[in-house]
């Protein structure tokens, strides 16, 4: 069986080969951790964004959207805390000259302890067969007890070091547990240093006195500085939310794992403004709503889990990640944060403007508390691709690579194929596309055998293929072939729109989450 690493490599190659994701400026050998989305990728990305956007602004009449600029007044980032505190602890290996995030090295070390425990359990399960009791084994096996105790010890030290911003202790953990550089295999580490992740540039010419500005590292601040504009012009009453989709930029130290950690990426963020004191209730609600949104896609409920933060960001009084099982383990796809009134109060202080909300019910003004849901479009994209990529062995020794992308997100919904390139079949196929194209992204393919054409569509995740044959000209029926089951049936052309429509209906999906 192929290792997860091999599967991931194949997925990356597949993304490139079929027009989903290309390395940025590839003809110049690419640019670290920057990627372009191709003709298929952009459709999938747009569908993800639509699913998110509509789930916010259509399903909630108290949530509206905005589209703020990427550039913001530089004081924004002072007020938000990003100038002073948006840092990652970095460490270099002196032999390989490779740079790492010290916290990520320690997180990997913790994950290794879990893997060791799992391996012990697997060995024992094989040995004891049906009589194996995993819970009992974990409680009583000395080696497992020691591994769990070691993990606890590392974890406690790690959390304390993070909370105290104790860089020397982070290095000491790396040394004490003999973490080695994956490249050089050595333990020859530099000290841990802080590194600010914001990209800066200059606005205006030097003669005018250019000012240093930043490329936004999160979209959220565009919402905070506009919250009162929206509240007043939209006559919004608390609780209400503002949603936004847009690019964010971070000079990530360790940019690995394809589009998981990028330097330019896209976020879908929603800030929900609530009455102080009610924030933890809303935090719990949004945790639930957001997990339901993920699960409704049907990628597999077991692939998600919550991960509560060990170290709270400078603005939060509660925070959870929704993690997804990527080919390289469970990783954060979305963050849900209770951001208190930190951002609004700070903008009030730095701008000198009163941005309090007047509550007509209480007849008093206050600074709202904020619950944030923040999901990366690119990570969501990766989770969909990773869960959908399948290599299948078929009867008769044949095989196929199929992307079982949820139909609602599939880049192309239907490919219409004339059986042969003559006898009026291409014209009939075009006629069908001309009917369907207003509702669905369609493709047309007349090259090669029908079998090869099916494979090409399987590889990009097209849920329906429609074949037009000579009988179609007489009986007005076509053969529809379903991607996942590969079953085929003869149906009337007039039923096509309905059959496809039912499977790719956003409304049906939304019914699962409201
Ligand atoms: N406004 C809060 C915020 O930005 P975050 O946890 O730093 O919180 C939110 O980021 C989400 O943005 C993450 O869950 C992830 O999906 C995405 N994200 C963050 N950094 C990323 C990166 N370098 N590349 C791709 N996605 C990223």
């Amino acid at each position: 069986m192929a290792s997860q690493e091999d599967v991931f490599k194949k997925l990356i190659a597949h993304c490139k080969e079929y027009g989903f994701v290309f390395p940025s400026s590839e003809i110049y050998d690419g640019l670290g951790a920057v990627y372009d989305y191709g003709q298929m990728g952009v459709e999938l990305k747009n569908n993800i964004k639509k699913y998110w956007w509509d789930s916010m602004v259509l399903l909630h009449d108290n949530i509206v959207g905005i589209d703020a600029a990427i550039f913001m007044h530089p004081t924004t980032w002072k007020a938000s805390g990003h100038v002073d505190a948006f840092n990652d602890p970095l460490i270099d290996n002196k032999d390989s000259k490779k740079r790492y995030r010290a916290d990520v090295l320690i997180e990997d070390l913790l994950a290794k302890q879990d893997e060791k425990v799992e391996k012990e359990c697997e060995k024992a399960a094989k040995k004891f067969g049906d009589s194996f009791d995993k819970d009992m084994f974990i409680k009583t096996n000395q080696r497992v007890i020691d591994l769990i105790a070691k993990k606890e010890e590392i974890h406690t030290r790690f959390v304390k070091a993070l909370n105290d911003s104790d860089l020397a202790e982070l290095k000491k953990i790396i040394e004490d547990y003999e973490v080695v550089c994956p490249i050089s295999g050595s333990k020859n580490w530099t000290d841990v240093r802080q590194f600010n992740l914001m990209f800066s540039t200059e606005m205006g010419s030097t003669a005018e006195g250019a000012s240093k500005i930043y490329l936004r590292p999160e979209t959220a601040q565009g919402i905070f500085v506009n919250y009162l504009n929206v509240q007043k012009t939209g006559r919004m009453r608390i609780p209400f939310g503002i949603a936004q989709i847009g690019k964010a930029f971070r000079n990530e130290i360790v940019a690995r794992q394809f589009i998981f950690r990028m330097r330019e990426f896209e976020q879908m963020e929603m800030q929900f403004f609530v009455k102080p004191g009610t924030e933890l209730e809303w935090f719990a609600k949004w945790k639930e709503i957001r997990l339901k949104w993920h699960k409704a896609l049907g990628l597999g409920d077991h692939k998600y889990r919550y991960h509560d933060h060990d170290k709270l960001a400078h603005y939060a009084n509660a925070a959870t990640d929704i993690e997804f099982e990527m080919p390289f383990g469970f990783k954060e796809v979305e963050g849900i944060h209770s951001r208190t009134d930190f951002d609004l109060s700070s903008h009030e202080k730095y701008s000198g403007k009163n941005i309090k909300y007047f509550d007509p019910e209480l007849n008093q003004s206050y600074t709202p508390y904020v619950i944030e849901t923040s999901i990366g479009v690119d990570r969501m994209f990766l989770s969909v691709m990773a869960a959908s990529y399948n290599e299948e062995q078929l009867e008769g020794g044949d095989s196929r690579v199929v992307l079982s992308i949820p139909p609602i997100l599939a880049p192309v919904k239907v490919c219409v194929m004339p059986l042969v390139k003559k006898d009026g079949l291409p014209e009939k196929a075009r006629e069908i596309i001309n009917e369907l194209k207003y509702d669905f992204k369609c493709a047309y393919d007349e090259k090669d055998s029908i079998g090869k054409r099916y494979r090409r569509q399987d590889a990009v995740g097209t849920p329906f293929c429609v074949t037009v044959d000579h009988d179609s000209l007489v009986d007005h029926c076509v053969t529809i072939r379903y991607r996942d089951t590969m079953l085929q049936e003869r149906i009337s052309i007039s039923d096509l729109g309905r059959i496809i429509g039912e499977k790719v209906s956003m409304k049906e999906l939304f019914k699962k989450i409201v």
Side-chain angles (χ1 to χ4, degrees):
M1 213 174 100
S3 71
Q4 285 297 81
E5 203 172 316
D6 289 341
V7 173
F8 190 42
K9 276 192 193 142
K10 282 190 195 170
L11 178 66
I12 296 171
H14 192 89
C15 280
K16 188 172 157 197
E17 190 180 342
Y18 287 93
F20 283 87
V21 183
F22 307 124
S24 157
S25 23
E26 196 187 4
I27 57 167
Y28 296 105
D29 297 331
L31 183 67
V34 186
Y35 290 90
D36 298 338
Y37 286 85
Q39 69 281 7
M40 288 294 156
V42 72
E43 296 291 342
L44 171 55
K45 208 175 174 209
N46 283 342
N47 293 339
I48 290 172
K49 288 194 268 187
K50 184 164 170 52
Y51 176 41
W52 183 87
W53 185 264
D54 287 355
S55 76
M56 289 292 171
V57 305
L58 291 190
L59 299 192
H60 303 270
D61 59 11
N62 59 348
I63 299 183
V64 292
I66 62 162
D67 183 19
I70 288 171
F71 292 142
M72 300 184 71
H73 191 285
T75 311
T76 309
W77 305 110
K78 193 75 194 146
S80 67
H82 285 82
V83 171
D84 297 320
F86 196 52
N87 301 318
D88 273 345
L90 71 83
I91 188 165
D92 294 299
N93 183 269
K94 290 184 198 163
D95 298 318
S96 66
K97 309 271 182 270
K98 286 278 168 200
R99 180 160 289 178
Y100 299 91
R101 269 175 59 176
D103 55 335
V104 172
L105 285 179
I106 299 171
E107 273 165 12
D108 289 349
L109 174 71
L110 288 166
K112 264 192 203 129
Q113 310 310 307
D114 286 339
E115 280 164 26
K116 284 182 189 164
V117 169
E118 238 358 86
K119 273 210 184 111
E120 290 297 325
C121 292
E122 275 166 26
K123 264 199 288 179
K126 263 194 204 141
K127 192 168 149 195
F128 296 115
D130 288 346
S131 62
F132 180 62
D133 179 341
K134 189 172 175 184
D135 290 340
M136 184 57 79
F137 179 74
I138 288 175
K139 275 190 212 135
T140 52
N141 179 277
Q142 195 51 47
R143 170 137 176 81
V144 171
I145 293 171
D146 292 346
L147 282 168
I148 294 173
K150 183 174 168 190
K151 185 188 163 189
E152 269 312 302
E153 186 184 285
I154 304 169
H155 187 249
T156 311
R157 283 180 65 180
F158 178 48
V159 173
K160 184 163 175 359
L162 286 181
N163 282 327
D164 298 348
S165 297
D166 186 345
L167 302 183
E169 172 66 358
L170 286 178
K171 181 175 182 191
K172 189 121 200 341
I173 297 173
I174 288 170
E175 285 174 342
D176 288 353
Y177 295 95
E178 305 191 324
V179 175
V180 296
C181 166
I183 308 287
S184 66
S186 93
K187 295 175 236 162
N188 197 6
W189 298 106
T190 62
D191 286 342
V192 178
R193 305 182 297 291
Q194 290 289 25
F195 176 80
N196 191 287
L197 298 183
M198 280 198 295
F199 283 103
S200 65
T201 184
E202 288 187 352
M203 184 174 262
S205 74
T206 332
E208 288 166 18
S211 59
K212 182 174 173 181
I213 57 165
Y214 298 97
L215 274 78
R216 66 181 178 199
E218 62 170 12
T219 59
Q221 297 304 324
I223 295 179
F224 288 125
V225 299
N226 275 300
Y227 112 93
L228 207 59
N229 283 338
V230 173
Q231 188 271 316
K232 287 199 164 140
T233 55
R235 292 181 296 117
M236 311 296 290
R237 285 209 177 173
I238 272 179
F240 72 92
I242 304 179
Q244 175 168 226
I245 299 178
K247 290 273 181 147
F249 305 83
R250 295 181 190 178
N251 195 3
E252 298 283 358
I253 306 168
V254 186
R256 277 184 296 167
Q257 296 158 332
F258 191 38
I259 54 172
F260 182 78
R261 197 173 298 287
M262 302 160 90
R263 295 200 166 103
E264 173 180 340
F265 58 100
E266 207 163 357
Q267 289 185 315
M268 306 189 280
E269 299 203 296
M270 194 279 298
Q271 313 296 134
F272 199 70
F273 300 89
V274 303
K275 208 189 299 178
T278 63
E279 72 275 11
L280 292 179
E281 212 177 290
W282 281 109
F283 174 72
K285 264 190 204 151
W286 277 107
K287 259 176 81 167
E288 203 182 305
I289 295 172
R290 293 305 305 147
L291 189 61
K292 256 192 182 172
W293 180 92
H294 284 275
K295 287 186 173 174
L297 285 173
L299 299 177
D301 288 4
H302 62 286
K303 288 182 181 284
Y304 300 91
R305 70 180 189 197
Y306 289 124
H307 168 78
D308 293 328
H309 283 207
D310 286 331
K311 185 192 177 198
L312 290 174
H314 56 275
Y315 48 71
N317 71 357
T320 298
D321 294 335
I322 293 178
E323 293 187 336
F324 184 82
E325 192 176 15
M326 300 282 185
F328 39 89
F330 273 93
K331 296 284 167 193
E332 172 191 350
V333 171
E334 171 156 7
I336 299 146
H337 312 123
S338 172
R339 288 181 80 129
T340 67
D341 61 349
F342 172 84
D343 301 87
L344 292 181
S345 297
S346 192
H347 286 306
E348 183 159 53
K349 189 173 120 205
Y350 277 84
S351 67
K353 309 256 163 56
N354 175 5
I355 54 172
K356 290 198 170 49
Y357 167 77
F358 176 74
D359 191 327
E361 275 163 37
L362 300 179
N363 198 27
Q364 74 178 55
S365 296
Y366 56 78
T367 305
Y369 271 44
V370 174
I371 305 303
E372 165 182 79
T373 71
S374 174
I375 167 170
V377 180
D378 313 271
R379 285 195 191 173
M380 184 64 200
F381 184 108
L382 183 57
S383 64
V384 171
M385 290 298 280
S388 303
Y389 181 88
N390 288 307
E391 293 173 4
E392 288 181 0
Q393 289 305 319
L394 306 175
E395 277 170 28
D398 205 359
S399 68
R400 69 167 181 164
V401 172
V402 57
L403 291 184
S404 311
I405 300 177
I408 185 77
L409 300 182
V412 174
K413 304 300 186 214
V414 54
C415 181
V416 185
M417 313 166 167
L419 187 62
V420 288
K421 271 190 256 179
K422 54 183 186 181
D423 304 336
L425 301 191
E427 289 76 8
K428 188 72 186 166
R430 292 278 180 201
E431 207 180 282
I432 293 172
I433 289 182
N434 282 338
E435 274 298 309
L436 297 177
K437 71 181 179 190
Y438 300 101
D439 295 311
F440 314 112
K441 174 79 183 152
C442 303
Y444 173 82
D445 192 359
E446 59 176 25
K447 199 170 173 295
D448 301 322
S449 68
I450 286 289
K452 276 195 180 153
R453 287 184 250 174
Y454 283 162
R455 292 290 171 276
R456 275 201 290 271
Q457 294 305 318
D458 287 344
V460 295
T462 306
F464 305 99
C465 287
V466 166
T467 305
V468 177
D469 56 25
H470 291 92
D471 288 344
S472 306
L473 303 179
V474 187
D475 64 5
H476 307 291
C477 288
V478 284
T479 302
I480 187 165
R481 184 257 193 188
Y482 302 99
R483 177 195 68 196
D484 298 334
T485 57
M486 293 189 287
L487 291 177
Q488 301 180 17
E489 55 178 337
R490 193 88 184 151
I491 59 160
S492 167
I493 292 172
S494 58
D495 285 338
L496 265 178
R498 180 184 52 76
I499 292 173
I500 299 168
E502 280 169 3
K503 283 280 182 321
V504 303
S505 156
M506 192 76 92
K507 187 170 170 183
E508 290 308 310
L509 190 57
F510 283 152
K511 281 187 190 161
K512 294 188 196 170
I513 60 176
V514 289

